[in-house]
Amino acid sequence: MKVYKFGGASVRSAEGIRNIVRIVSTVSDNLFIVVSAMGKTTNAMEIVLDHFMKADRDASLQKLAEVESYHDQVITDLFATKENGTAAVNPLFKELKSLITSGVGDDYDRWYDRLVSYGEMISTRIVSAFLSESGIGNEWLDMRGLLITDSNFREANVRMDESQLRLQKAVDFTKNRIYIGQGFIAANIKGDPTTLGREGSDYSAAVVGNLLNAESVTIWKDVPGILNADPRLFEDTVLIPELSYLDAVELAYSGAQIIHPKTIKPLENKQIPLYVNPFGTPELTGSVIRGSIQKPIDVPVLILRKNQVLVTVRPRDFSFVLEESLSKAFVVMNKHRLKISMIQSSAVSISVCVDNTRYLSGALDELETDFKVSYNDGLELLTIRGINDAIVQKTTGGREILLFQRTRRSGRFLMKE
Ligand code: ASP
Ligand code: MG
């Protein structure tokens, strides 16, 4: 069997969903299809949630009405019989409205997962109903009963053993050739919805691939494949046809937006290849990530990670950082979910470059107990793999660099945005 994952951009319009049907109808393999929320629905649901948490139900319901009308438009454009589409999503919007009107927003992260997860519930209902209307039999699954995670809301960790039992029980390719489930969402053992982190649908697809022993996982994207740089930021980008798992992990960790960083491990563990294919031109080959590759990457790879903060901490009692304080600082950062992208230490200080998230201020407050803390925000981190002087000059020339690290093959530059 194979796993296909379609992201938000692929399902943002009726045209995109028709293209899914086109792609799916050309394969005869057993398929598990993983789908994200449509277009910018997750962002919109975050706004619904924010109003709800501020106890502004009217504003929350009003934003939800926008989400509903967007989906309604896609349904109108898509289905020959509109009722096929509305019948699939109406119960979900009803549930959402009743959660918003009767719920009390106590715990932000828990409510995030409860509400925002509906984006994927709705999109998969639509895709499943449209596949059926197009004569492609399929079974829709609620991943909130099949992927089991811990209760680390908004960034839950999948429990592979329990999930495997449930998923293998639910999926029987002798009964259905095509199953469809949500990316990004899951539940803890008690059944409370959880999510796997923003852009987590790739990770869901990889986990499903692992648990069902897929022959391959394919992520369909609105790009030609994996490029050596983001074409919106750099000129003259080229396609990288083949990457090793290690290459892919390093690129994702450096901030390459192409795949979610957690995606590779479940695939590497079972040596399942990951294809990144162009959604708009499925006849062209994209990129493949796998264990052994024919030809190492021979072009420089540029990755820009925006919205970074450089945090420097010094123990207040002047103790040596590496001997005494390192673990204390990291425990606090980990507890507050800081994503560390670079580390530098001296005798009495340690500097880390982290994503600027809503958790940062809580972490800084707690670090203040034992450390003197200073920070710079508004930074971006450029990673160059396959570094040479010309490319350094071209990409960093004239820029103010706050921190620079170099190894034999790579360079990392933390700069003002
Ligand atoms: N819908 C989620 C997000 O936008 C998950 C995903 O698309 O991968 O973050
Ligand atoms: Mg997405």
Side-chain angles (χ1 to χ4, degrees), residues 12-52:
R12 72 169 165 234
S13 64
E15 193 196 332
I17 299 172
R18 277 195 203 102
N19 197 36
I20 293 184
V21 170
R22 223 167 307 163
I23 290 172
V24 167
S25 60
T26 61
V27 265
S28 50
D29 304 271
N30 294 331
L31 276 188
F32 194 109
I33 302 176
V34 173
V35 181
S36 298
M38 287 163 55
K40 301 268 177 253
T41 299
T42 303
N43 294 352
M45 289 305 296
E46 287 182 348
I47 298 172
V48 170
L49 170 82
D50 285 342
H51 290 309
F52 171 77

Side-chain angles (χ1 to χ4, degrees), residues 211-225:
L211 299 180
L212 297 179
N213 297 310
E215 173 190 324
S216 65
V217 173
T218 303
I219 296 180
W220 294 91
K221 279 209 157 252
D222 58 347
V223 290

Side-chain angles (χ1 to χ4, degrees), residues 126-282:
I126 294 174
V127 173
S128 169
F130 186 66
L131 283 166
S132 301
E133 199 192 72
S134 312
I136 300 177
N138 67 94
E139 185 175 332
W140 177 91
L141 297 172
D142 184 346
M143 298 304 273
R144 298 174 308 177
L146 302 175
L147 277 196
I148 302 305
T149 66
D150 60 13
S151 298
N152 192 29
F153 296 104
R154 295 190 69 191
E155 202 132 2
N157 303 294
V158 178
R159 298 201 170 144
M160 297 296 273
D161 292 344
E162 180 65 25
S163 303
Q164 181 150 40
L165 284 176
R166 298 201 185 199
L167 197 64
Q168 288 191 344
K169 209 158 131 199
V171 172
D172 179 354
F173 287 113
T174 62
K175 292 201 184 115
N176 287 292
R177 189 176 64 83
I178 299 179
Y179 286 85
I180 169 162
Q182 307 75 32
F184 179 56
I185 76 174
N188 66 13
I189 197 83
K190 289 189 290 181
D192 302 322
T194 56
T195 61
L196 309 178
R198 284 305 305 265
E199 305 301 327
S201 295
D202 295 345
Y203 177 47
S204 299
V207 167
V208 169
N210 175 304
L211 299 180
L212 297 179
N213 297 310
E215 173 190 324
S216 65
V217 173
T218 303
I219 296 180
W220 294 91
K221 279 209 157 252
D222 58 347
V223 290
I226 298 180
L227 304 176
N228 70 323
D230 184 338
R232 290 166 301 184
L233 304 172
F234 298 98
E235 299 165 352
D236 305 328
T237 53
V238 294
L239 180 79
I240 308 175
E242 267 192 317
L243 296 86
S244 68
Y245 292 120
L246 194 61
D247 292 330
V249 167
E250 289 203 5
L251 297 193
Y253 175 74
S254 307
Q257 303 251 306
I258 192 84
I259 36 170
H260 190 280
K262 281 167 138 183
T263 309
I264 300 304
K265 180 177 160 18
L267 299 173
E268 190 278 341
N269 291 172
K270 290 209 172 156
Q271 294 292 306
I272 299 168
L274 174 67
Y275 293 90
V276 178
N277 280 0
F279 181 67
T281 47

Side-chain angles (χ1 to χ4, degrees), residues 371-389:
F371 300 93
K372 261 172 81 181
V373 180
S374 55
Y375 78 99
N376 294 76
D377 55 8
L379 307 179
E380 57 188 31
L381 176 63
L382 175 70
T383 302
I384 306 176
R385 298 189 75 217
I387 192 167
N388 63 55
D389 292 344

